Amino acid sequence: MKTFYWLVKREFWEHRGGFLWAPVITGGVFLLLNIMGIITAEVLGASHGINFGASGGLHSVMADMDSGDMSKVGFALDIAMYSAMGLLAVVLGFVVFFYCLGALYDDRRDRSILFWKSLPISDTSTVLSKIVSATVLAPVFAVIVGIVVGILQLLILAVTLSFHGVNVWHLLLMAHPFRVMFNLIGYIPLYVFWALPSVGWLLLCSAWARSKPFLWAVALPVATGLVISWFGLMGLFDLPTTWFWKNVVQRGLFSTFPGTGSLFGTSSESIGHDVAGDPNLDFMNLTNTYHLLASPNLWVGVVIGCGLLAGAIWFRRWRDDS
Amino acid sequence: MSAVITANGLSKRYKNALALDNASFQIPAGRIVGLIGPNGAGKTTALKAILGLTDFTGELNVLGFDPRKQRDRLMGEVCFIADVAVLPRWIRVREAVDFVANVHPRFDRKKCEAFLARTKLQSGQRVRQMSKGMIVQLHLALVMAIDAKLLILDEPTLGLDILYRKQFYQSLLEDYFDENKTIIVTTHQVEEVEHILTDLMFIRDGRIVLDADMDAIGERFIEVLVNADKAEAARQLKPLDERQVFGKSIFLFDGANRATLEQLGETRRPSISDLFVATMKGTYA
């Protein structure tokens, strides 16, 4: 267990840039752009003589709202908090994608595998530590940064509105920052399961390729897809060609992007329905996102992912620096 | 004395070449063995087999383990330096020490820090900022702090200047080696390890062509400095090798009668490099 902790720590040392600084910088840029946007809006508003605050207009609008409108404001504020996470999720997807591609390849290329293999560590724990780094460590950092940025974003909005005569605390009470946090943190285990086939495929390529793992990882499924499309092979299974692109190529390569599970994993109508029906029940609600657990897509992916990872462990054992 | 390594009929085939061809050998504890061979003779493959880094056929027992099946346990007892450039370039000195200290049960942190204190390495320094010589100092400090039974060095001083090379072997002898430890070293700089080896193994085309301890080599191989007039007589005795120096001929004999040779001229013990050249004659032809 101690060894495993240090293996994960080693991954963090090596990939501090991707795991920590990438989300921190993205979050910082996000906030900066927001502040700039607000300043621009204020300046433009002032120069055109539009000012809600001075006349107390916005304040009276708030006072006139009923509870249904209030909950919509709260929902909008939650969305503001989520929006930061949305950007970070894309960054996280890229970080995990390229981390997995390099994880079992880079040390073979620079021959440092000979150093790692001179230590009493089994190849299974090495590969497991990389899986955990990709599916748990990286998302945890992204979510923490996402929460911090989301809260700052909320405060910036609140402070801006307070210049226009809106009570900051009154406004903040309508948002649900804790529920947002809870939803984001709760999403991580789902991500672990959903990302597994992609992580498995990328790690397998990373452990197996003698050179250019990226090319193999991407070209192999895409080339297969082209052949299948060309000859219409999916017709043999009574399935449209898009089935292969959607369920093999896209699922295998891009499941490292969080949220793709919720978008593609379950039938999209149910999600749309829930949000439209009641804005309080927001789309990130865990009872909503965990619908995915009922989808066979997720579990087939988990099984295939485990198989691919077993392959990665086997190749890690026998591939050396040559 | 119990053997640290017992190999029986080791073979390893790459796509188009036989890297190990039915090699058999034994290495007892407390020895410093030089595994010497031309490029592509199978040295590195043999070491990789011992370390469980490659598959092979035949029997191999290293410290009671089968390297193919028990590699991670074996590595608790074995240390390994494969030339100088294998430390990950992003790692810092303090991270390397922390990591090894926490994953290796036989690592002595105090010892390692004492070794490091003798160098110019700083704890925040990254490997990519170090010279080759400094990298090997770090690697050696890590390895010498591990109380392993077997140390394997594959071209450990490749590309180092003479100061680092001398220091490397000196540290090994003074601060590391004792009768419970075994060292296997491969190198092309034969002259530098000559005086520290206790055993010598020559490998050629995947086969062990010479396996003897240094005393036996001194008795078995004799070099004679022969004047031109006696050269023909010397040739009759079937020398391994003949070369000319300043009008005299130097003959190298394997297992000839010492008294007979002394009548031909001045006898001496051949250097390993001369022995090597004579044994490997025609390798690249």
Side-chain angles (χ1 to χ4, degrees):
Chain A
M1 211 52 228
K2 187 176 123 192
T3 302
F4 196 77
Y5 167 79
W6 283 91
L7 278 170
V8 175
K9 194 161 180 169
R10 182 195 79 181
E11 296 304 315
F12 175 66
W13 284 338
E14 185 176 356
H15 297 278
R16 214 185 299 250
F19 289 170
L20 179 63
W21 295 118
V24 166
I25 291 169
T26 312
V29 169
F30 178 82
L31 287 177
L32 198 70
L33 287 176
N34 267 304
I35 292 171
M36 280 164 61
I38 288 169
I39 290 173
T40 315
E42 293 286 328
V43 170
L44 282 177
S47 65
H48 288 84
I50 308 162
N51 196 331
F52 305 111
S55 63
L58 199 62
H59 192 242
S60 54
V61 169
M62 297 252 320
D64 291 343
M65 289 195 298
D66 63 20
S67 66
D69 294 329
M70 295 289 242
S71 78
K72 282 201 176 98
V73 171
F75 182 61
L77 288 171
D78 291 347
I79 291 287
M81 229 182 131
Y82 283 131
S83 62
M85 196 61 226
L87 189 61
L88 287 171
V90 175
V91 172
L92 174 68
F94 279 107
V95 166
V96 171
F97 185 94
F98 286 103
Y99 166 77
C100 289
L101 263 186
L104 298 171
Y105 171 74
D106 289 346
D107 57 358
R108 289 189 295 132
R109 192 188 48 191
D110 71 10
R111 302 184 67 228
S112 60
I113 187 175
L114 292 175
F115 173 67
W116 302 120
K117 285 220 173 186
S118 75
L119 296 166
I121 300 165
S122 73
D123 299 291
T124 311
S125 3
T126 303
V127 175
L128 284 179
S129 76
K130 298 193 187 240
I131 300 168
V132 168
S133 303
T135 58
V136 180
L137 189 69
V140 163
F141 275 112
V143 163
I144 291 172
V145 173
I147 287 172
V148 171
V149 171
I151 288 172
L152 289 175
Q153 162 85 350
L154 210 56
L155 288 177
I156 290 170
L157 276 181
V159 169
T160 313
L161 290 176
S162 74
F163 288 136
H164 298 278
V166 179
N167 184 328
V168 181
W169 299 113
H170 181 58
L171 199 66
L172 286 184
L173 280 177
M174 288 189 280
H176 318 89
F178 290 106
R179 197 167 77 189
V180 172
M181 281 184 216
F182 179 73
N183 286 345
L184 288 177
I185 294 169
Y187 197 78
I188 294 174
L190 200 60
Y191 176 74
V192 176
F193 286 125
W194 181 256
L196 220 48
S198 275
V199 168
W201 168 248
L202 296 170
L203 281 176
L204 178 71
C205 289
S206 177
W208 163 77
R210 287 194 197 276
S211 66
K212 305 194 179 54
F214 176 79
L215 215 57
W216 284 111
V218 176
L220 220 54
V222 169
T224 315
L226 287 177
V227 169
I228 284 177
S229 304
W230 188 261
F231 294 107
L233 288 179
M234 291 318 285
L236 297 175
F237 307 101
D238 261 344
L239 288 166
T241 301
T242 46
W243 186 94
F244 183 85
W245 287 102
K246 187 166 179 266
N247 289 290
V248 179
V249 181
Q250 176 189 294
R251 179 84 167 91
L253 288 177
F254 300 124
S255 296
T256 59
F257 289 86
T260 52
S262 302
L263 287 179
F264 307 121
T266 51
S267 56
S268 48
E269 300 115 49
S270 66
I271 297 170
H273 176 76
D274 285 346
V275 177
D278 179 4
N280 260 329
L281 195 89
D282 62 299
F283 62 98
M284 279 297 290
N285 193 313
L286 291 184
T287 51
N288 197 356
T289 49
Y290 272 69
H291 272 167
L292 193 56
L293 285 182
S295 119
N297 190 338
L298 178 85
W299 296 108
V300 171
V302 167
V303 170
I304 290 175
C306 290
L308 294 169
L309 289 168
I313 291 173
W314 191 88
F315 279 116
R316 178 66 176 185
R317 174 69 184 87
W318 294 113
R319 278 271 194 273
D320 58 13
D321 59 310
S322 56
Chain B
M1 210 185 302
S2 65
V4 172
I5 301 177
T6 314
N8 238 323
L10 284 196
S11 292
K12 164 84 187 175
R13 175 179 282 283
Y14 287 112
K15 264 172 204 143
N16 42 12
L18 211 54
L20 283 176
D21 183 4
N22 206 17
S24 302
F25 53 90
Q26 260 206 354
I27 295 174
R31 316 295 292 187
I32 303 183
V33 183
L35 183 63
I36 319 265
N39 290 336
K43 297 179 302 252
T44 301
T45 308
L47 296 189
K48 279 190 171 163
I50 291 170
L51 292 162
L53 293 175
T54 188
D55 209 355
F56 54 87
T57 58
E59 272 172 54
L60 180 60
N61 181 313
V62 184
L63 296 162
F65 297 106
D66 181 340
R68 280 168 292 193
K69 298 192 185 105
Q70 299 162 299
R71 201 190 68 81
D72 35 319
R73 282 170 65 200
L74 173 66
M75 293 322 288
E77 315 274 345
V78 179
C79 278
F80 173 40
I81 300 185
D83 78 40
V84 295
V86 305
L87 287 184
R89 292 173 54 71
W90 52 266
I91 211 166
R92 296 171 191 275
V93 173
R94 98 175 142 249
E95 290 170 344
V97 175
D98 273 350
F99 185 75
V100 180
N102 283 288
V103 302
H104 208 301
R106 292 167 166 273
F107 184 80
D108 182 345
R109 196 187 185 112
K110 282 209 182 71
K111 230 174 169 178
C112 181
E113 275 159 3
F115 290 134
L116 286 174
R118 285 195 238 153
T119 67
K120 283 187 182 167
L121 296 168
Q122 280 137 18
S123 76
Q125 208 170 4
R126 284 181 197 274
V127 167
R128 74 164 72 93
Q129 300 158 334
M130 299 176 192
S131 71
K132 269 190 172 180
M134 292 161 92
I135 298 174
V136 89
Q137 280 181 330
L138 171 59
H139 206 163
L140 194 61
L142 291 170
V143 159
M144 292 206 308
I146 295 172
D147 180 28
K149 292 190 183 124
L150 175 63
L151 173 61
I152 291 180
L153 306 168
D154 187 8
E155 295 284 1
T157 55
L158 202 70
L160 298 189
D161 70 32
I162 184 110
L163 296 173
Y164 280 122
R165 293 206 302 260
K166 289 271 176 207
Q167 189 198 36
F168 181 88
Y169 288 114
Q170 203 174 346
S171 310
L172 270 186
L173 277 187
E174 285 175 5
D175 302 319
Y176 184 75
F177 184 69
D178 60 43
E179 69 277 11
N180 297 317
K181 294 191 161 78
T182 305
I183 300 180
I184 303 179
V185 55
T186 74
T187 179
H188 287 118
Q189 275 134 354
V190 186
E191 314 80 36
E192 276 170 21
V193 292
E194 184 157 13
H195 56 280
I196 69 167
L197 296 182
T198 63
D199 290 77
L200 192 59
M201 273 209 275
F202 280 176
I203 183 167
R204 177 178 179 174
D205 299 331
R207 268 181 295 242
I208 307 290
V209 290
L210 175 78
D211 181 4
D213 69 51
M214 292 303 274
D215 296 336
I217 281 170
E219 282 164 25
R220 191 176 139 185
F221 293 97
I222 302 167
E223 221 173 43
V224 199
L225 224 71
V226 183
N227 283 323
D229 55 322
K230 285 184 183 166
E232 206 43 53
R235 275 180 206 119
Q236 299 292 318
L237 296 170
K238 294 195 180 128
L240 267 184
D241 187 39
E242 175 187 348
R243 61 203 155 95
Q244 316 290 331
V245 178
F246 303 127
K248 288 190 171 187
S249 297
I250 299 176
F251 291 94
L252 180 66
F253 289 96
D254 178 3
N257 185 311
R258 186 174 292 270
T260 322
L261 296 183
E262 273 166 357
Q263 291 167 5
L264 293 171
E266 186 189 333
T267 63
R268 65 183 187 197
R269 178 199 175 121
S271 73
I272 292 184
S273 43
D274 289 335
L275 195 57
F276 179 74
V277 171
T279 316
M280 300 299 163
K281 234 178 348 184
T283 303
Y284 298 133

